Amino acid sequence: MTSGDITWAAGSPVRNGIRQVLAVIGPDRRDGMMADTLPRPANPGAVAILFLTVAMALLLVVLGQGAGRRGEAPASLLFWAGMALAVVPLGFRISWPQVARGERLLLLLLLVEALFYCRTIYSPTSFTPYDEVLHWVAAEDLMTARRLFLSNPLLEVGSTYLALEILATSLADLTRLPLFAAATLLLSVLKGTFIVALFLLYEKITGSARIAALGCLAYMGCSTFFLFEAMFSYESLGIVLCTLAFAIEAGSRNLPGGQRSRALVLIGLLLGGIAVTHHLSAVYAAIYFGSVATLELLRRGGPPRETKMAVGAVMAVLLPLLWVELNGTHLTAYLGPVIENGIKILLIKLHGAPAQLSDAVVAAAPSQPLFMRVTTLLGVLLTALGLATGFFRSLALSTAAAGRSGWWSIRDVLGRRWHESRIVFLSLLAFGFPLSVAFRLSIGGWEVGNRMGTLAFFGVGLVVATGIVHFWQGRAPRGWRLVAPPLALCVIVLGGVTSASLDPIRGPYRVAADSQSVEAMALETARWTKEWMGAGNRFASDRVNSLLLAGYGRQDVRPDIAKGVHPSRVFKSETLSADDFWALANSPVDFLLVDMRLTTAPPVLGFYFEPWESRTGKPIPPAALRKFENIEGVGRIYDNGFIRIYDMRGMHVRP
Amino acid sequence: MFAPNHRDLLIACLWASLAVVAVAATDNTILRTVLCVPVAILVCGHTVLRAIGIGAASRAEHLAYAVGASLVVGIAGGMALNAAGLLSPLGWAVWFWLAVVGSSLTAARRGGPAWTLVAAPDVRRWHVGAVVLSVLVATGAYALAVRDETAQRQFKYTEFWLLPSEDGGQLRVGVRSGEEKGERFDLDVILDGQPLATFRSVEVAPGQTWTRELPVAPAAVSRRAVARLFRPDDNRLYRSASALLTGR
C-alpha cells in the first residue's frame, strides 16, 4: 500500500489536498541512495580550492571580530560574509550527490575546524565564556595542587567530573604549553572526532555516506554545536565520548560474537569515561542505550535480537550511578531546580497564562540583531520542513530490508516489525526538537531546551538527511532539487551559529553579559588582586567579576556572603538591614569587589549576581553600590574609577 | 617480539619511549609537543585498539576510535596517577609509555592482521601548495586576532590602592596607569587625621606602576589610613583609598 493506493473520491479538493500532503510527508522513497552505490574517487583539486576559500573566509571573520572590537560599523558585514564563505561552498560540496565518501568526510572535518576557529578567535588568548572559566579554575587548581577532587565553590558538581581537566592538564604537563593552548588543541581534536563519529554512526545505520554527511550538516544546526560543545567545559568531552560509543555500537552490530564482545569492551571503557566526564552526557548515553535495548526487546521477527545491547544499556545506567554514589554527588540538587523551573514555565506558556515577568523585565530581555533572528527562524523552519518530509521516510528505512514500501512499512513499524532499532529510536528522538524549541522560547526554559537539543539533534540529523535524500533530491536531482537542499542545509548550519549566542562578534563592554562583560580593565583588576594581595583571599562579587577573580586572580570566591545570604541581597539593596549587617559581620568573606559599571544599564542576561535574584529590568541604583563607603570598619583598598575593592575584615565579629 | 605485521606497534613503543626521554630531559616546548601530543591523543588509543582486537572498516573509523580510546586512557591515567600521588609531567609520560608498551605487547601476542597506511589519492603539487597557503593564511589571521585583542582597551583608568600589612606596621600605596598618556599626580596619605606622607608631581606613564612602602609606628588600637590622589592640573581629587590598620 502506498499513498497512491489510497482511493479517494475524485474531484474533492480537500481530499486531493490531503493526498498531496500524505505524498509529501509519506514514507515513499525516491531511491536517493542509488547515487551512493558507486565508489567515486576524491577530487583533490576541489578540496584544495575549498581549503583556500575557507582560509579567506577565516581572514574575513578575523577582520570582522577586529572591527567589532574597535566598534566599527563593517564588523557585522565582514564577520557574516566570512561565515557564509566558510559554510556555503563547503556545505554545497559536502551535500552534493556523487561525491566520494572520503572527500565528504575530509570537508566535514574542515568545516567543523573552521567553525571552531571562528569560535576561538572571539577570545584568542584566554577563556571568557562563563562555563569555560569555571573549568579553567578547576584545571589551574589541579595543576597547582597536583591533586584531583578539590572543591570548586563556583561549580560544586565540577569536582566530581574532572575528565576534561585531567586531559587538558596532561597535555599542558607533557608539552609545557600554556593551559589555554593545550585546552584549545584538545578541543580541536574533540570537535574533529565528534564529527567523524557522528558520520560513522549515521553511515553504519543507514549504509549511506551521503545521508551521513547530510545528517552531520543538519546536526550543526543545533544551538549547542557552535559554542556550547566547543567550550572548555565538560559537555564538550562528554558528547564526543557518547557519539563514539554510539558509533562503535552501531558498527559492531553485524559482527560475529567474539568481535562484538571485543567492541563491547571498548564501549564499556567509553561509558566508564562518560560516567566520570559529564552527568548529562551520561544521561544521554543511558537514554540511547536503554531505548535501543528496549526497542530490540520489543522487536518482532527480523534478525536475531541483539542481547549484547542490553549489556551496553546496563553499563550505561549503572556506571554513572556508581560514580555519583562513590563521590556522594547531589546531582538532583544541581539539575533538579533547572529542569523543574523549565517545565513549570513551559506549562505556564502552554496554558496561555500571563507572563509572570514585569513589562520592564520583558523589555530588557536580551535581543539579537534582526538578521540573526531571521536566520535562526529560517533555520528552525527549514529543520521543521526537513523533519516533516523525513520522519516517516526515516522510519521506513528501519524496515527497508523487508522490501516493503509506502505506508505498509509504517504499519510494520507499528506492528514492531522493524529491522533497525537505532533508526526507530533516532527518528522518534527527533520529536525532541519541537519540544526543545518550545522550551527555548522562555527565559526560564532556555537552559533545558538548549541541553535537550544536543540529544534531539542526533535524531534531527538522521531525519532531515533522509528527507533530503529520499524526498527532495532522489536519484538524479536537477535544477532546484539539486541546489535548494544544500542551500537549506547551509542556512540550518548558519542558524546554529546565530542561535548559539547573543552576538558572536566581540564588541564593547556590556553589563552582566558573561563573555561580553569580560574586558581588559576587569582582567587587570583580577590580576592585581593576585599580584598585590596574594592568592586565596575570600572574595564576593557579581557573577562576571567573581569568575575573573577566581580565574585570573586565583582568589577564593564565595558564592554566598553567609549561609542563605546571596550576594545579590547585600549588593543590590540601597541600605543594609540589620540582618545584612549581621551576615557581613559573621561572614567568611573578607573582601567585596564592587563594579560601578553595573549601575549604568540593566543586566543583558537578566541578572547581575545569580540567576534566581529578583529581576526588575532596571539598573542597580548607584547608591546601592556606594553604601559600603561609610560603614565603620570597612576600607576601600582599591579603586580604579570603575571597580572598587572593600576590605570587610574590620567589621568582622570573630570569636 | 614484533613480527613484520606489527611494525606499527614497534614504532608506537619507540615513539612513546622518546616522549618519556623528552619530558625527562628537555624543556623545549616544540619538541615535547611534537613527541607527546600524538602519543597522548592517538598512539596509545591505537595500541589499545590493537590489544583489544577491534578491527575498523575504514581508516577514519580506526582513527576516531583510537582517539576515543586515548581519551579514556588519559582519564584513567589521571585517576591512577592521582591515587599514586604522581600527577606530574614525568608521571604522565610514564603512564602513557606503560599504556603503549603494555597494550603493544598484548597486541603482539594476540596476533591479527597488519595495520597499513592507505595510499594517498592523486595529489599534485599545487594541491599541497594550496593547503599549505591556507594554513599560513589562517595562522596569520589568528595572529591578527591576537593583536586586535591586545590592542582593545575600551576603558582608560588609573588604579590606586592602599594596602595594610598583616601586622599593621606598614602601608603600601600604589598607582598604576591604564590611561592613554602619561599623567602627573599629587598624593598624600593620612593616618588617623594626621599627615603621614606626601608625594608631589608623581609621573606615571601608561602601563607603569608607582609604589611606596610607608612604615607606621605600632599602636594598641586600630587606626584608619586614607590615601588621596590629586591631579595638579585641575587640583581635583581623582581617587581615594582607605585601609584599617589593626592594633597590637
Side-chain angles (χ1 to χ4, degrees):
Chain A
M1 183 174 71
T2 68
S3 55
D5 298 330
I6 301 168
T7 52
W8 301 97
S12 164
V14 174
R15 286 181 178 174
N16 276 339
I18 293 173
R19 190 161 53 184
Q20 281 180 4
V21 169
L22 285 176
V24 169
I25 66 165
D28 288 339
R29 282 170 284 143
R30 294 185 180 174
D31 265 347
M33 276 151 76
M34 291 294 285
D36 274 344
T37 47
L38 293 173
R40 289 166 197 285
N43 184 343
V47 172
I49 290 169
L50 285 167
F51 262 88
L52 278 174
T53 312
V54 169
M56 291 303 136
L58 298 182
L59 183 59
L60 280 177
V61 170
V62 168
L63 291 174
Q65 288 284 11
R69 288 176 188 281
R70 294 184 293 274
E72 293 168 1
S76 198
L77 182 68
L78 286 168
F79 179 86
W80 289 109
M83 290 301 295
L85 189 61
V87 171
V88 175
L90 278 177
F92 264 76
R93 185 67 189 166
I94 291 165
S95 51
W96 208 252
Q98 301 176 351
V99 171
R101 173 187 182 272
E103 190 179 329
R104 286 190 209 275
L105 198 47
L106 179 63
L107 295 180
L108 272 171
L109 265 172
L110 178 61
L111 177 56
V112 164
E113 296 301 342
L115 290 175
F116 178 68
Y117 180 104
C118 295
R119 185 214 79 84
T120 307
I121 57 153
Y122 183 90
S123 176
T125 57
S126 57
F127 300 103
T128 51
Y130 188 82
D131 289 13
E132 275 199 342
V133 180
L134 290 180
H135 288 274
W136 172 44
V137 170
E140 285 284 356
D141 286 348
L142 202 168
M143 287 199 82
T144 309
R146 300 278 166 202
R147 271 194 303 126
L148 293 176
F149 312 118
L150 299 168
S151 72
N152 184 353
L154 295 175
L155 181 67
E156 282 184 10
V157 294
S159 57
T160 307
Y161 299 101
L162 286 165
L164 183 72
E165 287 86 342
I166 288 173
L167 293 174
T169 53
S170 75
L171 290 182
D173 273 346
L174 286 169
T175 61
R176 292 179 57 83
L177 285 170
L179 190 53
F180 177 78
T184 306
L185 179 67
L186 175 65
L187 288 170
S188 73
V189 172
L190 292 179
K191 288 305 279 185
T193 308
F194 172 77
I195 210 67
V196 174
L198 187 64
F199 180 93
L200 292 171
L201 169 66
Y202 289 148
E203 190 186 40
K204 296 287 180 191
I205 61 176
T206 63
S208 164
R210 187 166 152 223
I211 288 187
L214 295 175
C216 289
L217 280 177
Y219 189 94
M220 291 181 205
C222 179
S223 62
T224 55
F225 183 80
F226 177 70
L227 179 63
F228 200 67
E229 289 162 15
M231 283 197 293
F232 184 62
S233 183
Y234 42 21
E235 58 270 354
S236 302
L237 174 61
I239 198 67
V240 175
L241 297 177
C242 266
T243 316
L244 276 167
F246 301 166
I248 293 167
E249 190 282 319
S252 67
R253 73 196 194 287
N254 294 326
L255 295 176
Q259 286 187 42
R260 186 149 167 73
S261 298
R262 287 198 285 272
L264 204 60
V265 172
L266 184 56
I267 292 168
L269 289 174
L270 287 167
L271 288 173
I274 295 166
V276 302
T277 297
H278 181 220
H279 40 78
L280 269 185
S281 299
V283 172
Y284 298 157
I287 290 173
Y288 179 89
F289 282 99
S291 302
V292 175
T294 307
L295 287 170
E296 271 300 297
L297 289 175
L298 290 174
R299 182 165 65 82
R300 289 177 183 162
R305 284 204 181 89
E306 297 172 30
T307 46
K308 284 185 177 155
M309 186 72 212
V311 179
V314 169
M315 284 194 292
V317 173
L318 285 186
L319 289 174
L321 288 178
L322 192 65
W323 182 247
V324 167
E325 201 56 40
L326 274 174
N327 285 280
T329 312
H330 302 293
L331 265 187
T332 44
Y334 175 66
L335 296 174
V338 180
I339 297 169
E340 193 182 336
N341 186 40
I343 292 172
K344 199 171 88 182
I345 289 171
L346 181 67
L347 289 175
I348 289 171
K349 272 198 173 287
L350 288 176
H351 285 104
Q356 291 175 320
L357 303 170
S358 71
D359 291 344
V361 174
V362 174
S367 69
Q368 291 181 309
L370 182 66
F371 158 76
M372 286 180 68
R373 278 183 279 167
V374 169
T375 308
T376 305
L377 189 63
L378 258 179
V380 170
L381 290 176
L382 288 169
T383 305
L385 187 64
L387 291 180
T389 53
F391 177 69
F392 287 115
R393 289 179 175 87
S394 175
L395 271 185
L397 273 186
S398 68
T399 63
R404 309 252 262 184
S405 62
W407 291 102
W408 281 112
S409 53
I410 300 305
R411 239 178 99 168
D412 284 346
V413 173
L414 293 173
R416 292 187 274 145
R417 284 183 295 277
W418 59 76
H419 281 231
E420 183 47 88
S421 299
R422 293 155 198 84
I423 294 183
V424 175
F425 171 67
L426 288 177
S427 302
L428 296 174
L429 192 62
F431 272 110
F433 172 71
L435 200 58
S436 73
V437 172
F439 270 114
R440 284 170 62 89
L441 290 176
S442 65
I443 294 171
W446 181 89
E447 206 161 349
V448 177
N450 205 38
R451 305 294 196 277
M452 270 185 74
T454 302
L455 182 63
F457 261 77
F458 279 94
V460 171
L462 174 70
V463 172
V464 170
T466 308
I468 289 173
V469 170
H470 287 295
F471 175 71
W472 294 103
Q473 290 198 314
R475 186 184 299 191
R478 285 195 198 123
W480 72 269
R481 282 187 181 276
L482 187 62
V483 176
L487 189 63
L489 281 171
C490 292
V491 173
I492 288 173
V493 175
L494 287 170
V497 178
T498 53
S499 61
S501 64
L502 278 178
D503 193 353
I505 305 173
R506 196 69 191 259
Y509 168 84
R510 296 175 77 187
V511 173
D514 279 3
S515 297
Q516 296 181 71
S517 304
V518 177
E519 50 68 53
M521 184 177 72
L523 291 183
E524 280 302 313
T525 304
R527 289 193 185 111
W528 177 90
T529 61
K530 185 180 167 190
E531 184 182 351
W532 292 96
M533 298 172 68
N537 296 291
R538 293 185 290 267
F539 265 87
S541 187
D542 61 277
R543 177 179 161 95
V544 173
N545 282 300
S546 290
L547 210 58
L548 300 182
L549 282 169
Y552 293 88
R554 307 293 298 140
Q555 302 300 335
D556 178 9
V557 177
R558 299 297 170 109
D560 296 323
I561 299 292
K563 196 175 179 187
V565 180
H566 301 305
S568 59
R569 179 173 139 187
V570 170
F571 279 89
K572 285 173 78 177
S573 59
E574 289 196 37
T575 53
L576 290 174
S577 67
D579 284 350
D580 296 338
F581 262 109
W582 185 90
L584 282 170
N586 292 280
S587 170
V589 172
D590 290 332
F591 300 95
L592 299 182
L593 185 145
V594 174
D595 190 339
M596 294 304 291
R597 294 175 299 177
L598 303 189
T599 64
T600 59
V604 170
L605 296 181
F607 54 92
Y608 296 103
F609 296 89
E610 53 262 346
W612 53 87
E613 76 190 43
S614 62
R615 301 179 183 212
T616 61
K618 293 175 186 166
I620 299 181
L625 296 186
R626 283 201 203 106
K627 64 178 175 280
F628 303 107
E629 294 288 334
N630 303 317
I631 300 174
E632 200 178 326
V634 175
R636 182 168 71 186
I637 57 170
Y638 172 94
D639 184 6
N640 69 16
F642 302 90
I643 299 173
R644 295 164 179 181
I645 295 174
Y646 292 98
D647 183 347
M648 311 299 286
R649 290 174 295 183
M651 69 178 294
H652 282 167
V653 177
R654 296 282 186 243
Chain B
M1 185 184 296
F2 290 103
N5 61 340
H6 295 315
R7 285 219 179 98
D8 58 310
L9 300 175
L10 181 61
I11 293 169
C13 291
L14 288 174
W15 199 322
S17 304
L18 280 176
V20 175
V21 173
V23 170
T26 175
D27 285 343
N28 186 308
T29 302
I30 295 172
L31 184 65
R32 282 172 63 159
T33 303
V34 169
L35 286 173
C36 297
V37 169
V39 171
I41 283 184
L42 185 71
V43 174
C44 69
H46 167 74
T47 54
V48 166
L49 288 187
R50 297 270 271 122
I52 297 173
I54 291 173
S58 66
R59 284 290 161 261
E61 193 175 337
H62 182 83
L63 290 176
Y65 294 177
V67 172
S70 300
L71 296 174
V72 174
V73 169
I75 296 167
M79 303 289 177
L81 293 173
N82 178 62
L86 292 170
L87 268 174
S88 63
L90 196 59
W92 275 114
V94 170
W95 169 261
F96 282 115
W97 182 84
L98 283 174
V100 169
V101 172
S103 53
S104 294
L105 290 174
T106 311
R109 207 171 301 139
R110 168 190 287 281
W115 194 86
T116 52
L117 288 168
V118 277
D122 182 20
V123 178
R124 295 183 188 169
R125 233 177 250 174
W126 78 266
H127 300 151
V128 178
V131 172
V132 170
L133 181 62
S134 311
V135 172
L136 288 176
V137 170
T139 310
Y142 202 94
L144 187 64
V146 172
R147 198 204 66 172
D148 284 344
E149 187 189 49
T150 313
Q152 186 189 17
R153 298 195 81 85
Q154 185 185 347
F155 296 97
K156 313 295 173 208
Y157 55 94
T158 298
E159 295 171 288
F160 183 51
W161 63 89
L162 183 66
L163 289 169
S165 61
E166 284 296 316
D167 61 0
Q170 197 177 59
L171 279 168
R172 204 160 38 183
V173 63
V175 183
R176 184 158 61 185
S177 171
E179 306 283 354
E180 249 177 351
K181 54 185 176 55
E183 297 263 2
R184 206 157 48 90
F185 299 105
D186 290 344
L187 192 152
D188 63 26
V189 182
I190 299 164
L191 182 63
D192 262 355
Q194 302 297 314
L196 180 70
T198 305
F199 303 93
R200 297 280 171 227
S201 297
V202 175
E203 295 258 1
V204 189
Q208 192 188 348
T209 304
W210 177 95
T211 58
R212 288 290 182 275
E213 288 182 355
L214 309 173
V216 177
V221 293
S222 294
R223 292 164 297 166
R224 188 177 185 81
V226 177
R228 297 181 302 179
L229 193 68
F230 296 90
R231 281 204 297 209
D233 298 343
D234 53 11
N235 202 26
R236 197 167 67 92
L237 177 63
Y238 188 53
R239 297 269 184 279
S240 74
S242 60
L244 207 67
L245 285 164
T246 48
R248 287 182 179 174

